[in-house]
Amino acid sequence: MSSRSKAQVRSLQASVGHPILPFMSEISASSPMMKQYLRFKAEHPDAILFFHLGDFYEVFFEDAATVAKELDVVLTSRNGHPMAGVPVRRGEVYVAQLLRRGYKVAVCQQVEDPKKATGLVRREIVRVLTPGTAIDDAVLDAGSNHYLAAVLESRSAREIGLAYLDLSTGEFVAASMGSLEALRGELERLGPAEVLLPVSGSEALVRAAGDRLVTRRADAEWTAEGAECRDPTAGEAALQAAAAILAYVRETQGQSPGHLRPLRVLGIAQCVDLDAFTVSSLELVRPLRDGKASGTLLHVLDRTMTPLGRRLLRRRLLAPLTDRSSIERRLDAIGTLVRDVRSREALRAALSDVHDAERLVGKLGAGRLRPLDLVLLTRSLAAIDVVAQALTGVASAPEPAQPTLESPSPPPAADDLLASLRNALGQPVLAAQARRFASLLVDQPPAEIRDGGAIRDGWSQDLDAMRLELAALRDRLTRLESEERTRTGIASLKVGYNRVFGYYLEVTRPHLSKVPPDYVRRQTLANAERFVTEELKTFEGRIAAMEEKILALEADLFDAAVLELRASIPEFQAATDVLAELDVLQSLADVAHRQRYVRPTFTTEPALDVRGGRHPVVERREEFVPNDLVLPEGKDLVVLTGPNMAGKSVFLRQTALHCIMAQLGSFVPADRAVLPLVDRVFARVGASDMLAAGVSTFMMEMLETASILDHATSRSLILFDEMGRGTSTFDGVSIAWAVAEHLARHVRAKTLFATHYQELTRLADELPNVVNLHVAVRELGKDVVFLHRVEPGTAAGSYGVHVARLAGLPDAVTQAADRVLDGLLAEGRLSQIGASAPPVAIPPLFGTDEHPVLKALRKIDVERLTPIEALQKLDQLRRQLDA
Ligand code: ADP
């Protein structure tokens, strides 16, 4: 069907709100076209099939219902078949929306001119678009990576292979995961848009993928040889996963992209382990439910100038380093940029001319570079020189001596990161390419090269000559107009053009009698007629041919440039890596300077000494009271007490953030900071998004706790906030006590234990490595003033009732609460707990000795119980009680 009549049908539909489909007879399951459709659909059952029909992509059956719902287009129906359509020229916009919502789209294109086709138009699936392989700007988020992941369990199920690819940038990574839990954490960090699993993949893997889009791939595609990787440290399963990714990308893209990086194999322990709970509750990159984006650490640290820098900063925040010399190298560079304000400003200005070069190179490699992309790419390449120049003046003066404590060893001498980055930018090929292609395209080229006019005059002599010729032909047409006016005596005669009829001579109705016999009528309008002549047709043919030749040459020139640029992809990628790194360094330096952060010092002793520490996010929001945290060697666990709202969890969080910031290579918000190098951070602070519906808070907390006790080492940092709040006081205190004691005795990780259970402070009497701190408040009569000051020792009393009063609970209620509290204190019931450890001498729990829970309790051999078993047992008993 011609595009015009189809468009008319559409406009009719719009006006009468009822579809009139001239090809309705074709839309029955038995028509040849529908058979063709169904054949393609059968090949891609899990994708929405966009079926090219004239100027529209049509979708049928269930796809139509989906598209109508998601894209807000009209759902029509013929012969009982639902259908919907979107205009081809807006196809990409619609596809992008579907991808963002997690759908796949297969594009079935007409591959021959319908006018020339005999019978059914030939069609082919030209591309399969999937959320994980999308590289369109409309689908991607500039500030974060867009990953496709693949996961598989090794046959022994002892190793889990993970590979992930950001097709938009070419980043390609493989890693071996030790457990499903580790996998889940990693997926949470990466946030892939799509996860590939082998057809035989277990249910456990599906669960680990969470609610992400899962695509099953044939087992045969998971072959380690397919990964083309020679890294001997790579696990077999990880390589298999990488191979599956490559096969999927080849299939969906219809070609092998030219910009995939060599597979990088992640070693274990290169990065600080941050589990999903820690990442979310510390609000590193995403605010907790209902929180503002400005509440994240990423937001505070982000002074980047480019999307590539922003993405790298985000990746670094989620993967702080454990290797000291790499960290010091970054800190050296930041130190330099903090002191040298002028170079930093120059660097920032130069970086502002760098567009998203990483993704532009991705489009180049994927064969999807458009004219405007090429302009932005060459401009970004040109900016590289300016960036390098901004660095030439950098004053690498030695850093002033640091006030250090506890004699931490001085930072190891590192080679100069900034100098090596600057050198890496000096690739002559980049400047050459930038110069070479700067004059290829006009400043504001059309969207597509086939729209014409993208190539700048002067680039090609042939093109210039053709353009001159075309101009001459058009000129000739203008002359023809005046010649015909003279010949016919019709002063208002006009030469015009439209897409359907081509060139014509228009004569208004009053002058029709003067039309000469060689005019052939083409079209009748309300008050004019349009004609053609032999001469005009000849011109039309010559003009069309010339335009065609010009478009073809423009496309050739563009393709040639793209081909030439593709040869330099590895150099471009090396450069974008450097630009991203420089952007992150200047960003961190800029924040450090503005917020008066200090360079952290690392100690190999298990010690921590932060003076005047602040919370990087809270200090931006309100007046902040800095606090010290000093844990010399031999002191591992802090029991932090204080009333609600005193500032306990802020203090915990800031400590975790200091460690994470320091190890990603940032200065920290403190007057000075000596920190241990940690291998893991566990933060169980505040409400978390992980407290999903269905799992009781208490059970969740116990599971979390068990996992921490399992994985923590003496080099970990552990933060517990109000452990045991999900259960009764006695249970809560008992468990908190047992966990704290186990951590202090056996794990010896640096641990902060915030609690409103006063009883826990007695642990310090029993264990030499436990310290009591409290957040000070001042009482004024019945009111409390929060000082937010952390001080040694124990807080007096619990202030929950005061907080209730502050929150506006009626006086009668808070007074009653005061009386109950006084009564309990007088009976000594609250303070009995913790008198011996673990606290079992608590008032009778049950009326009868024969209670099954009591019996079960008696049977427990406490000496032989591991802490985790104890917790499990406790949970089981607790359930028994509730039953
Ligand atoms: P807690 O955990 O003891 O219940 P939070 O740590 O949540 O209390 O702190 C409550 C509020 O007190 C915070 O939201 C913040 O506004 C304020 N606050 C906490 N610590 C400080 C501090 N060091 N300086 C200033 N304000 C603080």
Side-chain angles (χ1 to χ4, degrees):
M1 171 171 34
S2 85
S3 54
R4 185 167 49 89
S5 58
K6 191 65 183 295
Q8 284 169 346
V9 169
R10 289 288 152 183
S11 67
L12 256 171
Q13 273 177 22
S15 57
V16 299
H18 190 84
I20 297 164
L21 301 174
F23 59 96
M24 59 183 248
S25 62
E26 292 174 48
I27 306 181
S28 75
S30 58
S31 74
M33 192 189 83
M34 282 317 277
K35 281 197 184 125
Q36 189 189 33
Y37 167 85
L38 290 168
R39 191 160 43 77
F40 285 123
K41 180 66 193 177
E43 285 171 22
H44 298 276
D46 63 344
I48 292 174
L49 190 76
F50 270 40
F51 194 72
H52 185 192
L53 197 60
D55 280 353
F56 282 80
Y57 287 120
E58 300 292 358
V59 286
F60 300 103
F61 307 111
E62 295 100 82
D63 287 357
T66 309
V67 164
K69 180 181 68 174
E70 297 288 355
L71 303 182
D72 216 10
V73 298
V74 188
L75 182 68
T76 62
S77 162
R78 275 295 143 177
N79 294 345
H81 301 314
M83 63 172 279
V86 299
V88 167
R89 86 197 128 72
R90 307 233 329 131
E92 262 174 40
V93 181
Y94 287 111
V95 170
Q97 281 185 45
L98 289 172
L99 292 175
R100 283 194 84 107
R101 287 173 203 180
Y103 294 99
K104 295 179 197 168
V105 179
V107 182
C108 180
Q109 200 79 25
Q110 292 173 175
V111 290
E112 65 179 339
D113 188 340
K115 283 188 213 117
K116 292 175 192 146
T118 52
L120 192 59
V121 181
R122 262 198 309 123
R123 292 185 172 83
E124 270 170 27
I125 302 282
V126 287
R127 282 182 71 208
V128 178
L129 298 116
T130 82
T133 55
I135 63 167
D136 228 308
D137 293 335
V139 185
L140 307 182
D141 175 0
S144 46
N145 282 95
H146 189 87
Y147 291 116
L148 165 70
V151 186
L152 123 141
E153 272 167 314
S154 67
R155 222 163 294 137
S156 64
R158 225 171 293 128
E159 183 202 337
I160 297 167
L162 166 72
Y164 55 91
L165 167 72
D166 182 342
L167 188 59
S168 71
T169 64
E171 183 193 3
F172 192 23
V173 181
S176 301
M177 303 276 116
S179 66
L180 280 168
E181 203 178 322
L183 173 69
R184 222 171 291 129
E186 196 60 27
L187 289 178
E188 184 69 22
R189 270 198 251 191
L190 298 170
E194 186 175 356
V195 181
L196 306 184
L197 295 185
V199 168
S200 64
S202 69
E203 269 310 299
L205 280 189
V206 179
R207 275 197 303 278
D211 50 9
R212 302 185 174 85
L213 172 68
V214 166
T215 300
R216 297 277 193 167
R217 301 287 292 167
D219 288 6
E221 284 180 2
W222 306 69
T223 57
E225 302 78 58
E228 296 155 21
C229 169
R230 285 188 197 85
D231 190 323
T233 65
E236 174 93 0
L239 290 183
Q240 285 174 274
I245 284 196
L246 286 179
Y248 189 61
V249 166
R250 254 181 241 127
E251 182 182 306
T252 53
Q253 303 296 299
Q255 57 155 343
S256 284
H259 67 288
L260 299 194
R261 313 283 189 107
L263 184 66
R264 188 160 54 91
V265 178
L266 276 194
I268 318 161
Q270 276 174 1
C271 300
V272 177
D273 204 340
L274 304 171
D275 57 53
F277 197 116
T278 301
V279 169
S280 84
S281 72
L282 290 179
E283 304 187 279
L284 295 181
V285 294
R286 245 193 316 266
L288 284 170
R289 237 170 311 151
D290 309 329
K292 291 201 195 87
S294 61
T296 64
L297 181 61
L298 177 61
H299 182 88
V300 168
L301 296 185
D302 185 4
R303 295 270 304 157
T304 58
M305 303 299 289
T306 69
L308 30 158
R310 197 159 307 132
R311 289 192 295 269
L312 180 62
L313 178 61
R314 195 173 199 282
R315 289 201 297 278
R316 290 208 165 157
L317 260 173
L318 295 175
L321 300 177
T322 49
D323 171 52
R324 178 167 174 187
S325 64
S326 313
I327 300 171
E328 300 282 10
R329 204 158 172 250
R330 291 180 187 173
L331 291 173
D332 286 343
I334 290 170
T336 304
L337 290 173
V338 166
R339 290 189 301 275
D340 189 344
V341 184
R342 274 186 39 208
S343 294
R344 191 171 81 234
E345 285 306 327
L347 184 57
R348 288 174 62 80
L351 284 169
S352 70
D353 287 332
V354 174
H355 300 269
D356 197 342
E358 208 177 16
R359 283 188 168 157
L360 291 168
V361 172
K363 291 182 188 174
L364 176 65
R368 310 274 310 282
L369 199 75
R370 293 186 174 174
L372 182 61
D373 297 327
L374 196 148
V375 171
L376 297 180
L377 181 62
T378 49
R379 277 189 203 155
S380 304
L381 291 178
I384 290 178
D385 228 19
V386 190
V387 171
Q389 261 158 39
L391 284 174
T392 47
V394 163
S396 330
E399 203 160 344
Q402 278 266 316
T404 54
L405 305 144
E406 310 233 330
S407 67
S409 44
D415 55 330
D416 189 345
L417 179 58
L418 287 177
S420 74
L421 291 174
R422 185 180 53 215
N423 291 340
L425 286 180
Q427 296 247 25
V429 59
L430 301 175
Q433 298 273 38
R435 268 197 307 278
R436 171 145 168 67
F437 293 110
S439 55
L440 170 66
L441 298 184
V442 296
D443 283 339
Q444 285 169 345
E448 305 287 345
I449 192 73
R450 62 170 185 274
D451 296 337
I455 309 280
R456 208 187 268 269
D457 286 333
W459 176 260
S460 152
Q461 285 183 0
D462 288 350
L463 182 65
D464 291 353
M466 287 181 197
R467 281 178 172 165
L468 278 179
E469 231 174 291
L470 180 66
L473 281 172
R474 290 204 170 120
D475 223 35
R476 193 62 199 85
L477 213 57
T478 321
R479 258 184 289 138
L480 184 104
E481 187 180 75
S482 59
E483 280 165 20
E484 288 298 312
R485 277 182 192 169
T486 325
R487 175 157 85 100
T488 59
I490 309 172
S492 63
L493 182 142
K494 271 192 323 212
V495 171
Y497 175 84
N498 84 22
R499 242 166 51 108
V500 180
F501 296 103
Y503 286 98
Y504 55 76
L505 297 157
E506 188 173 292
V507 179
T508 52
R509 205 155 281 286
H511 302 286
L512 284 179
S513 56
K514 287 180 238 164
V515 167
D518 60 322
Y519 275 31
V520 181
R521 181 174 300 125
R522 266 289 156 89
Q523 192 187 7
T524 304
L525 305 180
N527 45 17
E529 301 249 338
R530 289 174 176 174
F531 302 89
V532 289
T533 63
E534 274 309 311
E535 196 185 4
L536 194 61
K537 276 206 276 190
T538 315
F539 264 121
E540 176 167 1
R542 285 172 66 191
I543 287 175
M546 187 52 71
E547 280 172 345
E548 200 51 47
K549 262 173 81 179
I550 288 175
L551 283 186
L553 181 56
E554 286 202 51
D556 283 350
L557 292 169
F558 185 72
D559 289 347
V562 165
L563 201 67
E564 209 172 309
L565 285 166
R566 275 176 78 111
S568 305
I569 285 179
E571 285 85 359
F572 293 167
Q573 289 181 326
T576 56
D577 286 354
V578 173
L579 293 173
E581 167 105 46
L582 284 170
D583 199 12
V584 168
L585 291 173
Q586 71 74 18
S587 176
L588 293 175
D590 207 59
V591 180
H593 182 106
R594 284 162 189 272
Q595 297 300 122
R596 292 173 296 104
Y597 292 175
V598 290
R599 178 176 182 151
T601 321
F602 297 103
T603 154
T604 46
E605 267 88 72
L608 188 150
D609 190 333
V610 175
R611 304 296 165 111
R614 284 123 50 204
H615 189 296
V617 179
V618 177
E619 76 162 338
R620 300 287 286 263
R621 211 170 50 209
E622 52 202 274
E623 195 70 37
F624 198 85
V625 181
N627 276 306
D628 300 344
L629 177 61
V630 184
L631 284 177
E633 192 173 356
K635 297 288 179 197
D636 298 316
L637 186 137
V638 173
V639 174
L640 179 66
T641 45
N644 288 327
M645 295 300 290
K648 297 186 297 298
S649 73
V650 166
F651 186 68
L652 261 52
R653 286 168 203 271
Q654 83 185 33
T655 305
L657 294 180
H658 291 162
C659 286
I660 290 170
M661 289 169 79
Q663 288 186 236
L664 74 92
S666 165
F667 283 20
V668 295
D671 295 336
R672 51 193 191 189
V674 180
L675 299 168
L677 274 169
V678 301
D679 61 354
R680 292 187 159 99
V681 176
F682 297 98
R684 295 298 174 272
V685 188
S688 152
D689 285 354
M690 305 289 285
L691 292 178
V695 186
S696 83
T697 315
F698 179 62
M699 187 61 206
M700 189 75 197
E701 192 179 3
M702 289 303 100
L703 288 170
E704 296 282 344
T705 307
S707 144
I708 294 177
L709 297 186
D710 235 17
H711 294 106
T713 75
S714 63
R715 293 181 49 217
S716 305
L717 175 72
I718 307 176
L719 312 173
F720 272 119
D721 193 13
E722 304 290 0
M723 136 158 301
R725 67 192 173 286
T727 186
S728 75
T729 308
F730 292 123
D731 282 3
V733 178
S734 314
I735 293 172
W737 180 285
V739 170
E741 183 177 359
H742 177 80
L743 286 171
R745 260 190 214 284
H746 305 296
V747 181
R748 294 182 165 265
K750 292 286 175 234
T751 308
L752 304 190
F753 220 95
T755 182
H756 57 260
Y757 299 135
Q758 212 61 35
E759 297 75 16
L760 283 192
T761 57
R762 298 200 187 163
L763 202 57
D765 302 335
E766 310 207 353
L767 295 170
N769 62 338
V770 175
V771 186
N772 285 329
L773 297 179
H774 72 282
V775 193
V777 292
R778 187 183 302 140
E779 279 187 84
L780 288 172
K782 279 262 166 207
D783 289 322
V784 206
V785 180
F786 293 106
L787 302 175
H788 304 304
R789 221 169 44 224
V790 175
E791 293 178 352
T794 308
S798 161
Y799 297 83
V801 181
H802 296 285
V803 176
R805 191 171 288 123
L806 280 182
L809 247 60
D811 280 352
V813 175
T814 52
Q815 279 158 14
D818 270 339
R819 279 195 304 276
V820 173
L821 184 64
D822 288 345
L824 286 171
L825 288 173
E827 280 176 40
R829 283 177 58 171
L830 288 179
S831 53
Q832 275 184 32
I833 299 166
S836 62
V840 282
I842 39 185
L845 277 168
F846 317 102
T848 159
D849 275 1
E850 296 315 309
H851 194 286
V853 171
L854 269 190
K855 273 202 232 156
L857 263 174
R858 286 218 177 80
K859 278 199 215 131
I860 296 175
D861 181 354
V862 179
E863 295 293 311
R864 285 159 177 257
L865 226 50
T866 69
I868 294 162
E869 284 165 348
L871 290 176
Q872 285 165 342
K873 194 78 201 160
L874 201 55
D875 181 53
Q876 184 196 335
L877 293 175
R878 174 70 207 274
R879 278 162 185 277
Q880 224 170 322
L881 259 192
D882 292 344

